[in-house]
Amino acid sequence: MSSNQIISERDLSVLWHPCTQMKDHEWLPMIPIKRGEGVWLEDFDGKRYIDAVSSWWVNLFGHANPRINAALKSQVDCLEHVMLAGFSHEPAIQLAEQLVEITPAGLDRCFYVDNGSSAVEAALKMSYHSWRNQGHKGKHHFVTLSNSYHGETLGALAVGDVSLYKETYEPLLMEVFTAPSPDCYERESGESWEDYSTRQFAEMEQLLATHGDEISAVIVEPLVQCAGGMRMYHPVYLTLLRKACDRYQIHLIADEIAVGFGRTGSMFACEQASITPDFLCLSKGLTAGYLPLSVVMTSEQTYRNFYDDYENLTAFLHSHSYTGNPLGCAVALASLNIFRDDNIIENNRNLAQVMSEATAHLVDHPHVAEVRQHGMILAIEMVKEKKNRVPYDWQERRGLRVYQHALKQGALLRPLGNVTYFMPPYVITPDQIKTLARIATEGIDLATRN
Ligand SMILES: *Cc1c(COP(=O)(O)O)cnc(C)c1O
């Protein structure tokens, strides 16, 4: 038996993996990873893989980044953790100061949480509670977009709309209003992204106009619905949504857990629409893929809505054990230093251009419906029939065939259904991008052959 097999057997006798039908591992080997370095992951047999999906979109500057490692090591010798109620520490303060500085103007308060779903839950509760503290008692509904994803705890799952994750648990979930997504994959041929996203806003407007009094907040993933298949839309939708939310006195929650920290080309996706949400949820790239940490950024006004004498019971009493963990904050600070020192947002433009050029030929592939891109996220959608965009049956698991081919060729290209995508660490080189494009092209050829 190979070293990979020995480790995998031990794993399979005790572990239960996330987002996995464990029976698949009867024929689909798992890949136990021994070490990581830069874009590379190395398994126990010494085989290496380019991490093209940043280990589920978290890694920004490669594995075992020397600068981030150093920050982590120095923090752990100083303070590993202290509770954040009644106590504080310098990494939490410094990170909050910097996040206030770099997030859209008006987000002046930072509430720490410890993972993405929990940040979404905290934002939902804060929104409702903020209205309640102001005397608006009927605002207890949320609006979401079709095909959206906001995490997997019950509240976050309720405001999401990916049926694969949601349907089973439907009886357990709060009811929400769902507006049609501005996802431009669905546009008419010849219609521009901007026109389509604008057109899709009409139903949202109608919903907010009709039910404004009952609605606490609209929650969206700005520009890219990542878990929903890397579906993308035009910033104009966010601009229209911001204005409508103001008009009807409804909060806007921007879930930038996946798209924040440069993924869409700007530091935050909201910047491309020149808007400030009422709540901004950040996680994933926040710690450059090192440790679980998340924040909800909000306005001074929202903070004030909770600020009162204790007896009035208006405080936001939400907490998690690892809220604002110092190790997480220290690596987040190291990551923000890299953004500044290495001019990352600027340099990523070149990498995004290389991704675009390296995959341009796939537009003509007989089974590729679309190659779409927002900055450092590029997605390729396979279809059975190109002309009418007839999808492959999901049971055929075509994306998985691309994944298996890529693993053989030394790349991690975990698909989303029939969508293969690149969302690489920013330390990837143009040559590595070209390698990924070649592997993806071969994989798509194989996966669509019959
Ligand atoms: C990943 C993700 C979440 C959930 O974050 P977890 O840390 O996995 O709980 C929420 N929203 C979006 C947009 C995400 O991509």
Side-chain angles (χ1 to χ4, degrees), residues 53-62 68 95 99 102 115-116 255-263 267-268 281-295 328-339 344 423-426:
V53 300
S54 298
S55 286
W56 263 350
W57 326 336
V58 298
N59 191 291
L60 296 187
F61 299 117
I68 301 177
L95 180 59
L99 289 173
I102 64 172
N115 67 75
D255 175 354
E256 294 217 19
I257 289 166
V259 296
F261 300 100
R263 288 296 183 190
M267 192 64 169
F268 300 102
C281 301
L282 302 173
S283 188
K284 293 201 166 107
L286 174 63
T287 60
Y290 268 64
L291 286 159
L293 184 74
S294 64
V295 298
C329 292
V331 297
L333 284 164
S335 170
L336 291 181
N337 282 340
I338 296 176
F339 269 105
I344 295 299
M423 193 158 164
Y426 306 154

